[in-house]
Amino acid sequence: MRVPVPRPVPLPLSCAVSPVVSLNGARSGADGPAVPMSPADLAESARAAVAAGAGEVLVHPRTPCGRESLSARVVGPVLGAMRGAGVLVPLSVAVSVGAEPDPAGRLERVRSWTVLPDRAVVDFGEPAAAELAQALLARGVAVDAVVPLGGPAGPEPMARFLAWPVREPGRVRLAAELASADPALVAGLRGLPPVEVLLYGREAAAWPVLRLAARCSTGARTGVGDVLHLPDGRPARSNAELVAAARAVLDGAGRGGHADGGHAVGGPAATGASR
């Protein structure tokens, strides 16, 4: 019996056929050879992922000993290595408690950067997220506001995001981390500020949520920072392999029409990755 697919919810569009690639996330070398760690490995992984179809690159910079860091002496060389390798798509840096537990310390680090990313990822499930996001915007860095939905974080992250007065909607994107591919979670995004929306999941939720993003024509994300296996369950050998699989899902949705019968959701599709 065919299961009816819920009608997608109108959402602001992003570049649905060019996913963001999360190069490493909170992973370590213990998670396997697919996880790049050094600046050179991150640059090569980013280059290959872009060649496979990634439209943006997200990185968690690390010290030589593998610890996440927001130090200018760590962030600058990582971004420089990727640009030097010919990675010309927008580059994002995750700004989280994993790299700097103290909210004041995160602000200090961001204000000390001498090489700036195009975007920064700020988790609104963490304290002082709005202040951090505003500081990044003031430095000319666009912001991905991460709001976890459907998991243990509860409604507080969304409440924090809604309480933040988004004065520059063109430079802010809502990155909704879904605990599952539940269309009811997407329906809860109605009436938000007019910003782009990106949907993503982690581990078991990663591929179902990517398919949901394809149906809703939002931005999407993949990479070993989020998931270590391909849609068929095989271990992924690289970020490029994950991006190629994601592009196959997203391109297939574009060729075959959306789940509501072929009608695109929202307004005209974006023509490129947002900076």
Side-chain angles (χ1 to χ4, degrees), residues 138-249:
R139 294 220 61 194
V141 179
V143 169
D144 272 6
V146 171
V147 176
L149 296 175
E156 287 80 8
M158 179 60 78
R160 291 192 192 109
F161 176 70
L162 293 176
W164 177 40
V166 179
R167 298 186 179 91
E168 301 178 76
R171 299 174 60 217
V172 174
R173 179 168 58 191
L174 174 63
E177 180 185 342
L178 305 187
S180 65
D182 183 355
L185 296 175
V186 180
L189 300 181
R190 292 176 188 265
L192 294 180
V195 298
E196 286 188 4
V197 174
L198 181 149
L199 303 179
Y200 74 100
R202 297 182 190 273
E203 309 303 354
W207 293 108
V209 171
L210 188 134
R211 295 184 188 101
L212 179 62
R215 296 205 304 270
C216 294
S217 294
T218 68
R221 197 175 99 178
T222 190
V224 300
D226 294 338
V227 63
L228 292 172
H229 64 273
L230 297 166
D232 61 7
R234 288 180 296 125
R237 293 173 294 181
S238 65
N239 277 301
E241 193 171 30
L242 288 166
V243 169
R247 279 295 302 260
V249 173

